[in-house]
Amino acid sequence: MQTRRVSGVRPFGKAGSITYFLEYTVPAAPDNAEFEFPYDEIQTGTTIPLSETDAEIIHTTELPARTGIISATVPEAKLEAEQLIMHSRAAEATLYEDPCNSLKSGVGNIVATFLEGRGWQDA
């Protein structure tokens, strides 16, 4: 099999795009008091039903999230981020511009914050 290299084509994202990251917290659903998931340092990355594991069970009322958003402009990034927020239970979020593409919380420059009912506030 022969492969060809195409000059000027980027494999991911839009031309001239920047990586933004949206950080938000997802609260447990109103009918659930908390999230439950197994914590197993030995079998990291595997999903096991709670009923089938003897691993320690972690209980938490919220889960932090950091999601990458590829966009050419801040308004486009805000629009995509807002769609993500509206389809989650999150009530607030922070949009970061992060040229390092880090998944670590708080990394990058804050671009704007979102509060449900108030919308976006630029940094």
Side-chain angles (χ1 to χ4, degrees):
M1 177 194 280
Q2 197 175 41
T3 59
R4 287 192 272 171
R5 184 164 189 247
V6 180
S7 173
V9 175
R10 295 170 53 145
F12 299 104
K14 303 170 189 169
S17 63
I18 299 172
T19 301
Y20 296 92
F21 285 89
L22 183 68
E23 287 188 8
Y24 55 101
T25 302
V26 180
D31 56 338
N32 297 329
E34 58 192 17
F35 292 101
E36 295 181 330
F37 55 93
Y39 177 73
D40 187 344
E41 290 181 351
I42 296 170
Q43 296 181 13
T44 61
T46 57
T47 303
I48 303 167
L50 291 175
S51 61
E52 296 178 19
T53 182
D54 59 356
E56 178 184 358
I57 304 299
I58 303 294
H59 301 270
T60 182
T61 58
E62 58 189 27
L63 292 175
R66 182 169 168 104
T67 302
I69 296 176
I70 306 298
S71 184
T73 65
V74 171
E76 287 176 3
K78 285 180 182 179
L79 182 62
E80 190 170 330
E82 194 167 338
Q83 292 298 315
L84 192 134
I85 295 165
M86 294 301 153
H87 287 93
S88 75
R89 290 186 298 271
E92 58 186 58
T94 303
L95 184 65
Y96 290 85
E97 180 182 343
D98 182 10
C100 297
N101 293 329
S102 175
L103 289 177
K104 292 182 182 176
S105 178
V107 175
N109 300 316
I110 296 176
V111 173
T113 55
F114 180 87
L115 292 172
E116 187 175 342
R118 296 179 72 194
W120 289 102
Q121 299 295 313
D122 291 332

mmCIF file of all heavy atoms in Angstrom, residues 55-74:
data_model
loop_
_atom_site.group_PDB
_atom_site.id
_atom_site.type_symbol
_atom_site.label_atom_id
_atom_site.label_comp_id
_atom_site.label_asym_id
_atom_site.label_seq_id
_atom_site.Cartn_x
_atom_site.Cartn_y
_atom_site.Cartn_z
ATOM 1 N N ALA A 55 -13.559 -3.247 43.917
ATOM 2 C CA ALA A 55 -12.756 -2.032 44.057
ATOM 3 C C ALA A 55 -13.485 -1.043 44.962
ATOM 4 O O ALA A 55 -14.700 -1.098 45.127
ATOM 5 C CB ALA A 55 -12.528 -1.398 42.680
ATOM 6 N N GLU A 56 -12.713 -0.148 45.539
ATOM 7 C CA GLU A 56 -13.289 0.911 46.365
ATOM 8 C C GLU A 56 -14.270 1.721 45.515
ATOM 9 O O GLU A 56 -14.010 2.025 44.355
ATOM 10 C CB GLU A 56 -12.177 1.822 46.866
ATOM 11 C CG GLU A 56 -12.666 2.982 47.681
ATOM 12 C CD GLU A 56 -11.543 3.924 48.093
ATOM 13 O OE1 GLU A 56 -10.372 3.663 47.773
ATOM 14 O OE2 GLU A 56 -11.858 4.933 48.712
ATOM 15 N N ILE A 57 -15.424 2.051 46.071
ATOM 16 C CA ILE A 57 -16.430 2.836 45.358
ATOM 17 C C ILE A 57 -16.302 4.292 45.793
ATOM 18 O O ILE A 57 -16.319 4.608 46.982
ATOM 19 C CB ILE A 57 -17.860 2.333 45.645
ATOM 20 C CG1 ILE A 57 -17.991 0.856 45.308
ATOM 21 C CG2 ILE A 57 -18.892 3.171 44.891
ATOM 22 C CD1 ILE A 57 -17.737 0.505 43.865
ATOM 23 N N ILE A 58 -16.138 5.163 44.821
ATOM 24 C CA ILE A 58 -16.030 6.599 45.070
ATOM 25 C C ILE A 58 -17.420 7.204 44.929
ATOM 26 O O ILE A 58 -18.140 6.913 43.983
ATOM 27 C CB ILE A 58 -15.074 7.265 44.059
ATOM 28 C CG1 ILE A 58 -13.691 6.619 44.095
ATOM 29 C CG2 ILE A 58 -15.015 8.766 44.261
ATOM 30 C CD1 ILE A 58 -12.936 6.818 45.376
ATOM 31 N N HIS A 59 -17.777 8.073 45.850
ATOM 32 C CA HIS A 59 -19.054 8.785 45.820
ATOM 33 C C HIS A 59 -18.750 10.280 45.712
ATOM 34 O O HIS A 59 -17.938 10.796 46.466
ATOM 35 C CB HIS A 59 -19.846 8.531 47.109
ATOM 36 C CG HIS A 59 -20.131 7.092 47.347
ATOM 37 N ND1 HIS A 59 -21.258 6.468 46.892
ATOM 38 C CD2 HIS A 59 -19.418 6.135 47.995
ATOM 39 C CE1 HIS A 59 -21.255 5.205 47.241
ATOM 40 N NE2 HIS A 59 -20.131 4.967 47.908
ATOM 41 N N THR A 60 -19.395 10.947 44.782
ATOM 42 C CA THR A 60 -19.200 12.380 44.638
ATOM 43 C C THR A 60 -20.494 13.012 44.119
ATOM 44 O O THR A 60 -21.235 12.385 43.381
ATOM 45 C CB THR A 60 -18.009 12.711 43.702
ATOM 46 O OG1 THR A 60 -17.835 14.128 43.646
ATOM 47 C CG2 THR A 60 -18.220 12.164 42.309
ATOM 48 N N THR A 61 -20.736 14.244 44.504
ATOM 49 C CA THR A 61 -21.954 14.938 44.068
ATOM 50 C C THR A 61 -21.764 15.683 42.756
ATOM 51 O O THR A 61 -22.726 16.191 42.193
ATOM 52 C CB THR A 61 -22.412 15.940 45.144
ATOM 53 O OG1 THR A 61 -21.353 16.868 45.389
ATOM 54 C CG2 THR A 61 -22.778 15.222 46.424
ATOM 55 N N GLU A 62 -20.502 15.764 42.276
ATOM 56 C CA GLU A 62 -20.237 16.452 41.023
ATOM 57 C C GLU A 62 -18.954 15.917 40.384
ATOM 58 O O GLU A 62 -18.099 15.364 41.067
ATOM 59 C CB GLU A 62 -20.128 17.957 41.232
ATOM 60 C CG GLU A 62 -19.058 18.364 42.227
ATOM 61 C CD GLU A 62 -19.095 19.831 42.584
ATOM 62 O OE1 GLU A 62 -20.168 20.456 42.507
ATOM 63 O OE2 GLU A 62 -18.032 20.352 42.926
ATOM 64 N N LEU A 63 -18.876 16.079 39.080
ATOM 65 C CA LEU A 63 -17.691 15.660 38.336
ATOM 66 C C LEU A 63 -17.114 16.842 37.571
ATOM 67 O O LEU A 63 -17.836 17.516 36.835
ATOM 68 C CB LEU A 63 -18.053 14.555 37.331
ATOM 69 C CG LEU A 63 -18.456 13.219 37.907
ATOM 70 C CD1 LEU A 63 -18.898 12.286 36.785
ATOM 71 C CD2 LEU A 63 -17.315 12.594 38.681
ATOM 72 N N PRO A 64 -15.814 17.112 37.730
ATOM 73 C CA PRO A 64 -15.189 18.175 36.941
ATOM 74 C C PRO A 64 -14.926 17.668 35.522
ATOM 75 O O PRO A 64 -14.658 16.482 35.310
ATOM 76 C CB PRO A 64 -13.884 18.438 37.688
ATOM 77 C CG PRO A 64 -13.577 17.147 38.371
ATOM 78 C CD PRO A 64 -14.905 16.513 38.690
ATOM 79 N N ALA A 65 -15.014 18.568 34.543
ATOM 80 C CA ALA A 65 -14.766 18.198 33.153
ATOM 81 C C ALA A 65 -13.947 19.290 32.476
ATOM 82 O O ALA A 65 -14.080 20.475 32.785
ATOM 83 C CB ALA A 65 -16.088 18.012 32.417
ATOM 84 N N ARG A 66 -13.089 18.878 31.553
ATOM 85 C CA ARG A 66 -12.326 19.797 30.691
ATOM 86 C C ARG A 66 -12.396 19.206 29.294
ATOM 87 O O ARG A 66 -11.898 18.122 29.039
ATOM 88 C CB ARG A 66 -10.874 19.931 31.156
ATOM 89 C CG ARG A 66 -10.061 20.910 30.303
ATOM 90 C CD ARG A 66 -8.722 21.209 30.963
ATOM 91 N NE ARG A 66 -7.795 21.886 30.099
ATOM 92 C CZ ARG A 66 -7.491 23.189 30.162
ATOM 93 N NH1 ARG A 66 -8.076 23.937 31.071
ATOM 94 N NH2 ARG A 66 -6.615 23.717 29.353
ATOM 95 N N THR A 67 -13.032 19.935 28.391
ATOM 96 C CA THR A 67 -13.293 19.451 27.043
ATOM 97 C C THR A 67 -12.637 20.367 26.023
ATOM 98 O O THR A 67 -12.782 21.588 26.100
ATOM 99 C CB THR A 67 -14.821 19.418 26.793
ATOM 100 O OG1 THR A 67 -15.423 18.591 27.777
ATOM 101 C CG2 THR A 67 -15.136 18.892 25.418
ATOM 102 N N GLY A 68 -11.946 19.786 25.054
ATOM 103 C CA GLY A 68 -11.300 20.555 23.998
ATOM 104 C C GLY A 68 -12.312 21.039 22.969
ATOM 105 O O GLY A 68 -13.242 20.326 22.609
ATOM 106 N N ILE A 69 -12.114 22.267 22.511
ATOM 107 C CA ILE A 69 -12.962 22.861 21.472
ATOM 108 C C ILE A 69 -12.030 23.463 20.424
ATOM 109 O O ILE A 69 -11.216 24.321 20.731
ATOM 110 C CB ILE A 69 -13.889 23.947 22.056
ATOM 111 C CG1 ILE A 69 -14.843 23.297 23.047
ATOM 112 C CG2 ILE A 69 -14.621 24.692 20.958
ATOM 113 C CD1 ILE A 69 -15.745 24.254 23.761
ATOM 114 N N ILE A 70 -12.161 22.982 19.182
ATOM 115 C CA ILE A 70 -11.344 23.490 18.086
ATOM 116 C C ILE A 70 -12.171 24.533 17.341
ATOM 117 O O ILE A 70 -13.270 24.251 16.880
ATOM 118 C CB ILE A 70 -10.951 22.360 17.109
ATOM 119 C CG1 ILE A 70 -10.273 21.200 17.840
ATOM 120 C CG2 ILE A 70 -10.066 22.901 15.988
ATOM 121 C CD1 ILE A 70 -8.976 21.560 18.520
ATOM 122 N N SER A 71 -11.624 25.736 17.239
ATOM 123 C CA SER A 71 -12.372 26.814 16.601
ATOM 124 C C SER A 71 -11.405 27.854 16.069
ATOM 125 O O SER A 71 -10.312 28.020 16.593
ATOM 126 C CB SER A 71 -13.312 27.443 17.621
ATOM 127 O OG SER A 71 -14.105 28.420 17.015
ATOM 128 N N ALA A 72 -11.820 28.569 15.041
ATOM 129 C CA ALA A 72 -10.985 29.609 14.432
ATOM 130 C C ALA A 72 -11.076 30.930 15.195
ATOM 131 O O ALA A 72 -10.140 31.714 15.182
ATOM 132 C CB ALA A 72 -11.371 29.812 12.977
ATOM 133 N N THR A 73 -12.222 31.180 15.850
ATOM 134 C CA THR A 73 -12.412 32.455 16.537
ATOM 135 C C THR A 73 -13.041 32.233 17.909
ATOM 136 O O THR A 73 -13.654 31.197 18.162
ATOM 137 C CB THR A 73 -13.348 33.381 15.733
ATOM 138 O OG1 THR A 73 -14.649 32.786 15.688
ATOM 139 C CG2 THR A 73 -12.834 33.616 14.317
ATOM 140 N N VAL A 74 -12.925 33.235 18.753
ATOM 141 C CA VAL A 74 -13.542 33.166 20.083
ATOM 142 C C VAL A 74 -15.064 33.064 19.973
ATOM 143 O O VAL A 74 -15.664 32.230 20.661
ATOM 144 C CB VAL A 74 -13.123 34.372 20.955
ATOM 145 C CG1 VAL A 74 -13.925 34.428 22.242
ATOM 146 C CG2 VAL A 74 -11.630 34.306 21.262
#
